[in-house]
Amino acid sequence: MTTLGNRYTGLISRYRDRLPVSADTRLISLGEGNTPLLKLKNIPALIGKNVEIYVKYEGLNPTGSFKDRGMTMAVTKAVEAGSKAVICASTGNTSAAAAAYAARAGIKAFVLIPEGKIAMGKLAQAMMYGAITLQIRGNFDDGMELVKQVANEAPVTIVNSVNPFRLQGQKTAAFEIVEELGRAPDYHCLPVGNAGNITAHWIGYCESSTPIGQKVTDSCAFCDGDCRYPKAPITTGRPKMVGYQAAGSAPFVRGEPVLNPETVATAIRIGNPQSWAQAHTVMKESGGWFDELADQEILDTQRLLAMSEGIFCEPASAASLSGALRDIKSGKIPEGSVIVCTLTGNGLKDPDTAIGQCASAVLKTIDAKLDQVRDSILQTMGV
């Protein structure tokens, strides 16, 4: 059952037969998934290319990011196993999701975040949801190592993407895309930090297109030769997977970990990705590639998307579209292609960065007088 009457009850309910849950599993859900797949109307015309570009707006999940897809599965399985607490390292979105789903489940959440390197919107979420929030004097990679170590010494379940149930939840985004388009896109572009999401999407596309009984993908954490949760395929195609990183935090482009990653796109400020091997397998199997973007390119695209299409995403999310536009203009992604770009998080996650890049241009202070309001409007309209 996916609904009670006409009520949507979350992605595990919708895809129960394709996820590792039983009829008796208590589902921990906030109604995640079922996010909009929006076709861009104005930007393709601006670049003068004949392409179809869709954005999967994951910022409309309950806590404002794609992390909710994985967290509903991770916390559901943690509760099923009897866990009383979860723990994660985070650049922000994971901490928000872990805290929210732990609250929903009635268990504790512990989150490690890098001091001074988390957007305020995300920090506010973790605190309001009641997580025990520990700021460390170090970066995400330091926090991840600590989380893995402490899990051996305390009764907590890790809910970072090293938890394979996270990827199982996140793969459902690919199911939704295929169902809505009626096919797989030619290219799927994503921001890449820890690389769990690009891995999860590929698992979803592979499961959507693999006949029952055949091997799905080497990148699937659950795959042992046959898919454990098979269903008849719903598409025959698979996209090329393309991952974009910030130039100051681009270990896949560099071919090695980045010790001190820096970028305004804090959600992908990760120098030592936990899904390193899986992501390389995804690129090999899909025929895709990794590339990097300067921070200014990312910010320019974030604003372009908001002003041209009315879609507000956080900086890291804009990396997917920014990279896609560059590759469309160069011809690396050819005309006639159908492209999906994942927007991983809502723009309200990081309002300070958004205001900082545009406030001087659009925020004016005038007296509360008719003539000043009128003149400002007429001047702006060129009348």
Side-chain angles (χ1 to χ4, degrees):
M1 282 291 289
T2 60
T3 60
L4 178 63
N6 292 319
R7 189 170 69 91
Y8 178 80
T9 57
L11 66 84
I12 303 180
S13 293
R14 181 176 180 181
Y15 296 111
R16 184 183 284 271
D17 59 344
R18 306 193 70 165
L19 293 167
V21 292
S22 69
D24 298 327
T25 302
R26 175 193 167 200
L27 307 186
I28 310 301
S29 175
L30 288 167
E32 60 294 312
N34 200 29
T35 54
L37 183 67
L38 302 170
K39 185 176 182 180
L40 299 189
K41 300 292 187 181
N42 301 315
I43 289 177
L46 289 174
I47 63 174
K49 296 291 185 177
N50 178 28
V51 290
E52 289 186 28
I53 307 175
Y54 296 84
V55 292
K56 183 65 167 166
Y57 192 19
E58 292 290 271
L60 293 186
N61 274 298
T63 76
S65 86
F66 78 96
K67 303 287 187 176
D68 295 344
R69 286 186 185 273
M71 206 58 68
T72 184
M73 273 299 306
V75 175
T76 288
K77 296 302 285 186
V79 170
E80 186 176 53
S83 181
K84 301 299 182 184
V86 296
I87 190 170
C88 68
S90 179
T91 57
N93 284 329
T94 301
S95 65
Y101 282 83
R104 185 74 164 170
I107 62 176
K108 291 188 178 298
F110 297 90
V111 301
L112 273 66
I113 60 173
E115 183 182 24
K117 298 293 185 178
I118 178 173
M120 288 296 100
K122 302 173 188 180
L123 179 59
Q125 285 182 289
M127 295 172 68
M128 284 296 291
Y129 292 135
I132 308 302
T133 305
L134 306 174
Q135 291 194 105
I136 61 168
R137 296 184 184 93
N139 58 29
F140 168 86
D141 302 304
D142 298 323
M144 193 67 240
E145 286 305 309
L146 287 167
V147 163
K148 289 190 288 188
Q149 292 170 22
V150 79
N152 293 322
E153 301 182 17
V156 292
T157 299
I158 299 176
V159 290
N160 284 100
S161 58
V162 293
N163 181 324
F165 297 115
R166 277 275 309 274
L167 303 191
Q168 287 292 296
Q170 287 166 217
K171 76 181 182 183
T172 61
F175 297 165
E176 292 177 12
I177 291 166
V178 169
E179 290 167 357
E180 192 161 342
L181 289 179
R183 52 163 289 185
D186 299 308
Y187 296 86
H188 191 127
C189 304
L190 297 100
V192 172
N194 225 15
N197 206 26
I198 197 167
T199 302
H201 276 76
W202 184 240
I203 293 168
Y205 283 123
C206 290
E207 289 188 13
S208 298
S209 59
T210 302
I212 293 173
Q214 291 188 16
K215 186 174 182 180
V216 177
T217 169
D218 290 334
S219 59
C220 179
F222 281 98
C223 186
D224 56 1
D226 290 321
C227 179
R228 293 187 185 184
Y229 314 106
K231 186 178 181 181
I234 57 176
T235 182
T236 57
R238 300 176 186 177
K240 288 180 169 60
M241 304 296 292
V242 187
Y244 298 105
Q245 301 197 283
S249 181
F252 286 109
V253 179
R254 303 284 176 268
E256 60 184 6
V258 175
L259 295 181
N260 295 297
E262 288 293 346
T263 173
V264 70
T266 56
I268 53 175
R269 186 179 174 272
I270 296 171
N272 188 19
Q274 297 300 299
S275 295
W276 182 277
Q278 295 97 318
H280 277 292
T281 299
V282 169
M283 292 308 167
K284 179 180 178 182
E285 291 182 349
S286 75
W289 61 87
F290 291 111
D291 207 343
E292 63 184 328
L293 298 152
D295 278 2
Q296 194 59 53
E297 290 180 276
I298 293 171
L299 293 176
D300 289 346
T301 303
Q302 181 194 24
R303 192 171 181 195
L304 174 69
L305 181 62
M307 295 182 68
S308 299
E309 303 283 355
I311 302 169
F312 184 26
C313 68
E314 67 172 315
S317 298
S320 60
L321 179 60
S322 185
L325 292 176
R326 189 171 69 187
D327 285 340
I328 291 166
K329 291 173 184 176
S330 73
K332 192 171 186 178
I333 295 177
E335 291 202 62
S337 296
V338 175
I339 305 133
V340 170
C341 298
T342 296
L343 303 180
T344 46
N346 197 295
L348 294 175
K349 293 278 192 172
D350 190 356
D352 291 345
T353 298
I355 291 171
Q357 65 174 310
C358 63
S360 60
V362 300
L363 186 63
K364 300 178 181 179
T365 301
I366 59 175
D367 293 333
K369 295 181 179 180
L370 172 60
D371 61 332
Q372 292 198 24
V373 175
R374 180 197 62 223
D375 291 349
S376 293
I377 292 172
L378 295 177
Q379 182 181 13
T380 301
M381 296 180 67
V383 177

Coordinates of all heavy atoms in Angstrom, one line a residue, residues 85-170:
A85 N 20.0 5.0 19.3 CA 20.6 6.2 18.9 C 21.3 6.1 17.6 O 21.8 5.0 17.2 CB 21.7 6.6 20.0
V86 N 21.4 7.2 16.8 CA 22.1 7.2 15.6 C 23.2 8.3 15.7 O 23.1 9.3 16.5 CB 21.2 7.5 14.4 CG1 20.2 6.3 14.2 CG2 20.4 8.8 14.5
I87 N 24.2 8.2 14.8 CA 25.3 9.2 14.8 C 25.7 9.4 13.4 O 25.6 8.6 12.5 CB 26.5 8.7 15.6 CG1 27.5 9.8 15.8 CG2 27.1 7.5 15.0 CD1 28.6 9.5 16.8
C88 N 26.1 10.7 13.1 CA 26.6 11.0 11.7 C 27.6 12.1 11.8 O 27.6 12.9 12.8 CB 25.5 11.4 10.8 SG 24.7 13.0 11.2
A89 N 28.5 12.2 10.8 CA 29.3 13.4 10.6 C 28.6 14.1 9.5 O 27.9 13.5 8.6 CB 30.7 13.0 10.2
S90 N 28.7 15.4 9.4 CA 27.9 16.1 8.4 C 28.5 17.5 8.1 O 29.1 18.2 8.9 CB 26.5 16.3 9.0 OG 25.6 17.0 8.1
T91 N 28.2 17.9 6.8 CA 28.4 19.3 6.4 C 27.1 20.1 6.6 O 27.1 21.2 6.2 CB 28.9 19.3 5.0 OG1 28.0 18.7 4.1 CG2 30.3 18.7 4.8
G92 N 26.1 19.4 7.1 CA 24.8 20.1 7.4 C 23.6 19.4 7.0 O 22.7 19.2 7.9
N93 N 23.4 18.9 5.8 CA 22.2 18.3 5.4 C 21.9 16.9 6.1 O 20.8 16.6 6.5 CB 22.1 18.1 3.9 CG 21.8 19.4 3.2 OD1 21.1 20.3 3.7 ND2 22.3 19.6 2.0
T94 N 23.0 16.1 6.2 CA 22.9 14.8 6.9 C 22.5 15.0 8.3 O 21.6 14.3 8.9 CB 24.2 14.0 6.8 OG1 24.5 13.8 5.4 CG2 24.0 12.7 7.4
S95 N 23.1 16.0 9.0 CA 22.7 16.2 10.4 C 21.3 16.6 10.5 O 20.6 16.2 11.5 CB 23.6 17.3 11.0 OG 23.4 18.6 10.4
A96 N 20.8 17.5 9.6 CA 19.4 17.9 9.7 C 18.4 16.7 9.5 O 17.5 16.5 10.3 CB 19.1 18.9 8.7
A97 N 18.7 15.8 8.5 CA 17.9 14.7 8.3 C 18.0 13.7 9.4 O 17.0 13.1 9.8 CB 18.3 14.0 6.9
A98 N 19.2 13.4 9.9 CA 19.3 12.4 10.9 C 18.6 12.8 12.2 O 17.9 12.0 12.9 CB 20.8 12.2 11.3
A99 N 18.7 14.1 12.5 CA 18.0 14.6 13.7 C 16.5 14.5 13.6 O 15.8 14.2 14.5 CB 18.4 16.1 13.9
A100 N 16.0 14.9 12.4 CA 14.5 14.9 12.2 C 14.0 13.4 12.3 O 13.0 13.2 12.9 CB 14.2 15.5 10.8
Y101 N 14.6 12.5 11.6 CA 14.1 11.1 11.6 C 14.3 10.4 12.9 O 13.5 9.6 13.3 CB 14.7 10.4 10.4 CG 14.1 10.8 9.1 CD1 14.5 11.9 8.4 CD2 13.0 10.0 8.6 CE1 13.8 12.3 7.2 CE2 12.4 10.4 7.4 CZ 12.8 11.5 6.7 OH 12.1 11.9 5.6
A102 N 15.4 10.8 13.6 CA 15.5 10.3 15.0 C 14.4 10.8 15.9 O 13.9 10.0 16.7 CB 16.9 10.7 15.5
A103 N 14.1 12.1 15.7 CA 13.0 12.6 16.5 C 11.7 11.9 16.2 O 10.9 11.6 17.1 CB 12.9 14.1 16.3
R104 N 11.5 11.6 14.9 CA 10.3 10.9 14.5 C 10.2 9.5 15.1 O 9.1 9.0 15.4 CB 10.2 10.9 13.0 CG 9.0 10.3 12.4 CD 7.8 11.2 12.4 NE 6.7 10.8 11.5 CZ 5.5 11.3 11.6 NH1 5.2 12.3 12.4 NH2 4.6 10.9 10.7
A105 N 11.4 8.9 15.2 CA 11.4 7.5 15.7 C 11.4 7.4 17.2 O 11.2 6.4 17.8 CB 12.7 6.8 15.2
G106 N 11.7 8.6 17.9 CA 11.8 8.6 19.3 C 13.1 8.1 19.9 O 13.2 7.5 21.0
I107 N 14.2 8.3 19.1 CA 15.5 7.9 19.5 C 16.4 9.1 19.5 O 16.0 10.2 19.0 CB 16.1 6.7 18.7 CG1 16.3 7.2 17.2 CG2 15.2 5.5 18.7 CD1 16.9 6.1 16.3
K108 N 17.6 8.9 20.0 CA 18.6 10.1 20.1 C 19.4 10.2 18.8 O 19.6 9.2 18.1 CB 19.5 9.9 21.3 CG 18.8 10.1 22.6 CD 19.8 10.1 23.8 CE 19.2 10.3 25.1 NZ 18.4 11.7 25.1
A109 N 19.8 11.4 18.5 CA 20.7 11.6 17.4 C 21.9 12.4 17.9 O 21.8 13.4 18.6 CB 20.0 12.4 16.3
F110 N 23.1 12.0 17.5 CA 24.4 12.7 17.7 C 25.0 13.1 16.4 O 25.1 12.2 15.5 CB 25.3 11.8 18.5 CG 24.9 11.4 19.8 CD1 24.1 10.2 20.0 CD2 25.1 12.1 21.0 CE1 23.7 9.8 21.2 CE2 24.7 11.7 22.2 CZ 23.9 10.6 22.4
V111 N 25.3 14.4 16.2 CA 25.9 14.8 15.0 C 27.2 15.5 15.2 O 27.3 16.3 16.2 CB 24.9 15.7 14.2 CG1 23.6 14.9 13.9 CG2 24.6 17.0 14.9
L112 N 28.2 15.2 14.4 CA 29.5 15.9 14.4 C 29.6 16.8 13.2 O 29.4 16.4 12.1 CB 30.6 14.9 14.4 CG 31.1 14.4 15.8 CD1 30.0 13.5 16.4 CD2 32.4 13.5 15.6
I113 N 29.8 18.1 13.5 CA 29.9 19.1 12.4 C 31.2 19.9 12.5 O 31.7 20.1 13.6 CB 28.7 20.0 12.4 CG1 28.6 20.8 13.7 CG2 27.4 19.3 12.2 CD1 27.6 21.9 13.7
P114 N 31.7 20.3 11.4 CA 33.0 21.1 11.4 C 32.7 22.5 11.9 O 31.8 23.2 11.4 CB 33.5 21.1 10.0 CG 32.3 20.8 9.1 CD 31.3 20.0 10.0
E115 N 33.4 22.9 12.9 CA 33.1 24.3 13.5 C 33.3 25.4 12.5 O 34.3 25.5 11.8 CB 34.1 24.5 14.7 CG 33.9 25.8 15.4 CD 34.9 26.0 16.5 OE1 36.1 25.4 16.4 OE2 34.7 26.8 17.4
G116 N 32.3 26.2 12.4 CA 32.3 27.4 11.5 C 32.2 27.0 10.0 O 32.3 27.9 9.2
K117 N 31.9 25.8 9.7 CA 31.9 25.4 8.3 C 30.5 24.8 7.9 O 30.4 23.9 7.0 CB 33.0 24.4 8.0 CG 34.4 24.9 8.2 CD 34.8 26.0 7.2 CE 36.2 26.4 7.3 NZ 36.6 27.5 6.4
I118 N 29.5 25.3 8.5 CA 28.1 24.7 8.3 C 27.2 25.9 8.1 O 27.3 26.9 8.9 CB 27.7 23.8 9.4 CG1 26.2 23.3 9.1 CG2 27.8 24.5 10.7 CD1 25.8 22.2 10.1
A119 N 26.4 25.9 7.1 CA 25.4 26.9 6.9 C 24.4 27.0 8.0 O 24.0 26.0 8.6 CB 24.6 26.7 5.5
M120 N 24.0 28.2 8.4 CA 23.2 28.4 9.5 C 21.9 27.8 9.5 O 21.3 27.3 10.5 CB 23.0 29.9 9.8 CG 24.3 30.6 10.3 SD 24.8 30.1 11.9 CE 26.2 28.9 11.5
G121 N 21.3 27.7 8.3 CA 20.0 27.1 8.2 C 20.0 25.6 8.6 O 19.1 25.1 9.2
K122 N 21.1 24.9 8.2 CA 21.3 23.5 8.5 C 21.6 23.3 10.0 O 21.1 22.4 10.6 CB 22.4 22.9 7.7 CG 22.2 23.1 6.2 CD 23.4 22.7 5.4 CE 23.2 23.0 3.9 NZ 24.3 22.6 3.1
L123 N 22.4 24.2 10.6 CA 22.7 24.1 12.0 C 21.4 24.3 12.8 O 21.2 23.6 13.8 CB 23.7 25.1 12.4 CG 24.1 25.2 13.9 CD1 24.7 23.8 14.4 CD2 25.2 26.3 14.1
A124 N 20.6 25.3 12.4 CA 19.4 25.5 13.1 C 18.5 24.3 13.1 O 17.8 24.0 14.1 CB 18.6 26.7 12.5
Q125 N 18.4 23.6 12.0 CA 17.6 22.4 11.9 C 18.0 21.3 12.9 O 17.2 20.8 13.6 CB 17.6 21.8 10.5 CG 16.8 22.6 9.5 CD 16.9 21.9 8.1 OE1 18.0 22.0 7.4 NE2 15.8 21.3 7.7
A126 N 19.3 21.0 12.9 CA 19.8 20.0 13.8 C 19.5 20.3 15.2 O 19.1 19.5 16.0 CB 21.3 19.8 13.6
M127 N 19.7 21.6 15.6 CA 19.4 22.0 17.0 C 17.9 21.9 17.3 O 17.5 21.5 18.4 CB 20.0 23.4 17.2 CG 21.5 23.5 17.1 SD 22.2 25.1 17.1 CE 21.9 25.6 18.8
M128 N 17.1 22.4 16.4 CA 15.7 22.4 16.7 C 15.1 21.0 16.8 O 14.1 20.7 17.5 CB 14.9 23.2 15.6 CG 15.1 24.7 15.8 SD 14.3 25.3 17.3 CE 12.6 25.1 17.0
Y129 N 15.6 20.1 16.0 CA 15.1 18.7 16.0 C 15.6 18.0 17.2 O 15.2 16.8 17.5 CB 15.6 17.9 14.8 CG 14.9 18.4 13.5 CD1 15.7 18.6 12.3 CD2 13.6 18.6 13.4 CE1 15.1 19.0 11.1 CE2 13.0 19.1 12.2 CZ 13.8 19.2 11.1 OH 13.2 19.6 9.9
G130 N 16.5 18.6 18.0 CA 16.9 18.0 19.3 C 18.2 17.1 19.3 O 18.4 16.4 20.2
A131 N 18.9 17.2 18.2 CA 20.2 16.4 18.1 C 21.2 17.0 19.1 O 21.3 18.2 19.4 CB 20.7 16.5 16.7
I132 N 22.0 16.0 19.6 CA 23.2 16.4 20.4 C 24.2 16.8 19.4 O 24.8 16.0 18.7 CB 23.7 15.3 21.3 CG1 22.5 14.7 22.2 CG2 24.8 15.8 22.2 CD1 21.9 15.8 23.1
T133 N 24.5 18.1 19.2 CA 25.3 18.6 18.2 C 26.7 18.9 18.7 O 26.9 19.8 19.6 CB 24.7 19.9 17.6 OG1 23.4 19.6 17.2 CG2 25.5 20.4 16.4
L134 N 27.7 18.3 18.2 CA 29.1 18.4 18.6 C 29.9 19.1 17.5 O 30.1 18.5 16.4 CB 29.7 17.1 18.9 CG 28.9 16.2 20.0 CD1 29.6 14.8 20.1 CD2 28.9 16.9 21.3
Q135 N 30.4 20.3 17.7 CA 31.2 21.0 16.7 C 32.7 20.5 17.0 O 33.2 20.6 18.1 CB 31.1 22.5 16.9 CG 29.8 23.1 16.5 CD 29.9 24.6 16.3 OE1 29.9 25.1 15.2 NE2 29.9 25.3 17.4
I136 N 33.3 20.1 15.9 CA 34.7 19.6 16.1 C 35.7 20.6 15.4 O 35.3 21.3 14.4 CB 34.9 18.2 15.5 CG1 34.6 18.2 14.0 CG2 34.1 17.2 16.2 CD1 35.1 16.9 13.3
R137 N 36.8 20.8 15.9 CA 37.9 21.6 15.3 C 38.6 20.8 14.3 O 39.7 20.3 14.4 CB 38.8 22.1 16.4 CG 38.2 23.0 17.4 CD 39.2 23.6 18.4 NE 38.5 24.4 19.4 CZ 38.1 23.9 20.6 NH1 38.4 22.6 20.9 NH2 37.5 24.7 21.5
G138 N 37.9 20.7 13.1 CA 38.4 19.8 12.0 C 37.3 19.9 10.9 O 36.3 20.6 11.0
N139 N 37.6 19.1 9.8 CA 36.6 19.2 8.7 C 35.8 17.9 8.7 O 35.8 17.1 9.6 CB 37.4 19.3 7.4 CG 38.4 18.2 7.1 OD1 38.2 17.1 7.6 ND2 39.5 18.5 6.4
F140 N 34.9 17.8 7.7 CA 34.0 16.6 7.6 C 34.8 15.3 7.6 O 34.3 14.4 8.3 CB 33.2 16.7 6.3 CG 32.5 15.4 6.0 CD1 31.2 15.2 6.6 CD2 33.0 14.4 5.2 CE1 30.5 14.0 6.3 CE2 32.3 13.3 5.0 CZ 31.1 13.0 5.5
D141 N 35.9 15.2 6.9 CA 36.6 14.0 6.9 C 37.1 13.6 8.3 O 37.1 12.4 8.6 CB 37.8 14.1 5.9 CG 37.3 14.5 4.5 OD1 36.4 13.8 3.9 OD2 37.7 15.5 4.0
D142 N 37.6 14.5 9.0 CA 38.0 14.2 10.4 C 36.8 13.7 11.2 O 36.9 12.7 12.0 CB 38.5 15.5 11.1 CG 39.7 16.1 10.5 OD1 40.6 15.3 10.0 OD2 39.8 17.3 10.4
G143 N 35.6 14.3 11.0 CA 34.4 13.9 11.7 C 34.0 12.5 11.3 O 33.6 11.7 12.2
M144 N 34.1 12.2 10.0 CA 33.8 10.9 9.6 C 34.6 9.8 10.2 O 34.1 8.7 10.6 CB 33.9 10.8 8.0 CG 33.2 9.6 7.4 SD 31.4 9.6 7.5 CE 31.2 8.1 8.4
E145 N 35.9 10.0 10.3 CA 36.8 9.0 10.9 C 36.4 8.8 12.4 O 36.4 7.7 12.9 CB 38.2 9.5 10.8 CG 38.8 9.3 9.4 CD 38.7 7.9 8.9 OE1 39.1 6.9 9.6 OE2 38.1 7.7 7.8
L146 N 36.1 9.9 13.1 CA 35.7 9.8 14.5 C 34.4 9.1 14.7 O 34.2 8.3 15.6 CB 35.5 11.2 15.1 CG 36.8 12.0 15.3 CD1 36.5 13.5 15.6 CD2 37.6 11.4 16.5
V147 N 33.4 9.3 13.8 CA 32.2 8.6 13.8 C 32.4 7.1 13.7 O 31.8 6.3 14.4 CB 31.2 9.1 12.7 CG1 30.0 8.2 12.5 CG2 30.6 10.5 13.2
K148 N 33.2 6.7 12.7 CA 33.5 5.3 12.5 C 34.1 4.7 13.7 O 33.9 3.5 14.1 CB 34.3 5.1 11.2 CG 33.5 5.4 10.0 CD 34.2 4.9 8.7 CE 35.3 5.8 8.4 NZ 35.9 5.5 7.0
Q149 N 35.0 5.4 14.4 CA 35.7 4.9 15.5 C 34.8 4.8 16.7 O 34.8 3.8 17.5 CB 36.9 5.8 15.9 CG 38.0 5.7 14.9 CD 39.1 6.8 15.1 OE1 39.2 7.3 16.2 NE2 39.8 7.2 14.0
V150 N 34.0 5.8 17.0 CA 33.1 5.8 18.2 C 32.0 4.8 18.1 O 31.5 4.3 19.1 CB 32.5 7.2 18.4 CG1 31.3 7.5 17.5 CG2 32.1 7.4 19.9
A151 N 31.6 4.4 16.9 CA 30.6 3.4 16.7 C 31.0 2.1 17.2 O 30.2 1.2 17.5 CB 30.2 3.3 15.2
N152 N 32.4 1.9 17.3 CA 32.9 0.6 17.9 C 32.9 0.6 19.4 O 33.2 -0.4 20.0 CB 34.3 0.4 17.3 CG 34.3 0.1 15.8 OD1 33.4 -0.6 15.3 ND2 35.3 0.6 15.1
E153 N 32.7 1.8 20.0 CA 32.8 2.0 21.4 C 31.6 2.4 22.1 O 31.5 2.5 23.3 CB 34.0 2.9 21.7 CG 35.3 2.5 21.2 CD 36.5 3.4 21.5 OE1 36.3 4.2 22.4 OE2 37.5 3.3 20.9
A154 N 30.5 2.8 21.3 CA 29.3 3.2 21.9 C 28.1 2.6 21.1 O 28.2 2.3 19.9 CB 29.2 4.8 21.8
P155 N 27.0 2.4 21.8 CA 25.8 1.8 21.1 C 25.0 2.7 20.2 O 23.9 3.1 20.5 CB 25.0 1.3 22.3 CG 25.2 2.3 23.4 CD 26.7 2.7 23.2
V156 N 25.7 3.1 19.1 CA 25.0 4.0 18.2 C 25.2 3.4 16.8 O 26.1 2.7 16.5 CB 25.7 5.4 18.2 CG1 25.4 6.1 19.5 CG2 27.2 5.3 18.0
T157 N 24.2 3.8 15.9 CA 24.2 3.3 14.5 C 24.6 4.5 13.6 O 24.0 5.5 13.7 CB 22.8 2.8 14.1 OG1 22.4 1.7 14.9 CG2 22.8 2.4 12.6
I158 N 25.6 4.2 12.8 CA 26.1 5.3 11.8 C 25.0 5.4 10.7 O 24.6 4.4 10.1 CB 27.4 4.9 11.2 CG1 28.5 4.8 12.3 CG2 27.8 5.9 10.2 CD1 29.8 4.3 11.7
V159 N 24.6 6.6 10.4 CA 23.7 6.9 9.3 C 24.2 7.7 8.2 O 23.5 8.3 7.4 CB 22.4 7.5 9.9 CG1 21.6 6.4 10.7 CG2 22.6 8.7 10.7
N160 N 25.6 7.8 8.1 CA 26.2 8.4 6.9 C 26.0 7.4 5.8 O 25.5 6.3 6.0 CB 27.7 8.7 7.2 CG 27.9 9.9 8.0 OD1 28.1 9.8 9.2 ND2 27.8 11.1 7.4
S161 N 26.5 7.7 4.6 CA 26.3 6.9 3.4 C 27.1 5.6 3.4 O 26.9 4.8 2.5 CB 26.5 7.7 2.1 OG 27.8 8.2 2.1
V162 N 28.0 5.4 4.4 CA 28.6 4.1 4.6 C 27.6 3.1 5.0 O 27.8 1.9 4.9 CB 29.8 4.2 5.6 CG1 30.9 5.0 5.1 CG2 29.3 4.7 7.0
N163 N 26.5 3.6 5.5 CA 25.4 2.7 5.9 C 24.7 2.3 4.6 O 24.1 3.2 3.9 CB 24.4 3.4 6.8 CG 23.2 2.6 7.3 OD1 22.7 1.8 6.5 ND2 22.8 2.8 8.5
P164 N 24.7 1.1 4.2 CA 24.1 0.7 2.8 C 22.6 1.0 2.7 O 22.1 1.1 1.6 CB 24.4 -0.8 2.7 CG 24.6 -1.3 4.1 CD 25.2 -0.1 4.9
F165 N 21.9 1.0 3.8 CA 20.5 1.3 3.7 C 20.2 2.7 3.2 O 19.2 3.0 2.6 CB 19.8 1.1 5.0 CG 19.9 -0.4 5.5 CD1 20.6 -0.7 6.6 CD2 19.3 -1.4 4.7 CE1 20.7 -2.1 7.0 CE2 19.3 -2.7 5.1 CZ 20.0 -3.1 6.2
R166 N 21.2 3.6 3.4 CA 21.0 5.0 2.9 C 20.9 5.0 1.4 O 20.1 5.6 0.8 CB 22.3 5.8 3.3 CG 22.2 6.5 4.7 CD 21.5 7.8 4.7 NE 22.0 8.7 3.7 CZ 23.0 9.5 3.9 NH1 23.6 9.6 5.0 NH2 23.4 10.3 2.9
L167 N 21.8 4.2 0.8 CA 21.8 4.2 -0.7 C 20.5 3.5 -1.2 O 20.0 3.9 -2.3 CB 23.0 3.4 -1.2 CG 24.4 3.9 -0.8 CD1 25.5 3.2 -1.6 CD2 24.5 5.4 -1.0
Q168 N 20.0 2.6 -0.5 CA 18.8 1.9 -0.9 C 17.6 2.9 -0.9 O 16.8 2.9 -1.8 CB 18.4 0.7 0.0 CG 19.3 -0.5 -0.2 CD 19.1 -1.1 -1.5 OE1 18.0 -1.6 -1.8 NE2 20.1 -1.1 -2.4
G169 N 17.6 3.8 0.0 CA 16.5 4.8 0.0 C 16.7 5.8 -1.1 O 15.8 6.2 -1.8
Q170 N 18.0 6.2 -1.3 CA 18.3 7.2 -2.3 C 18.1 6.8 -3.7 O 17.9 7.6 -4.6 CB 19.7 7.8 -2.0 CG 19.8 8.7 -0.8 CD 21.2 8.9 -0.3 OE1 21.4 9.0 0.9 NE2 22.1 9.1 -1.2

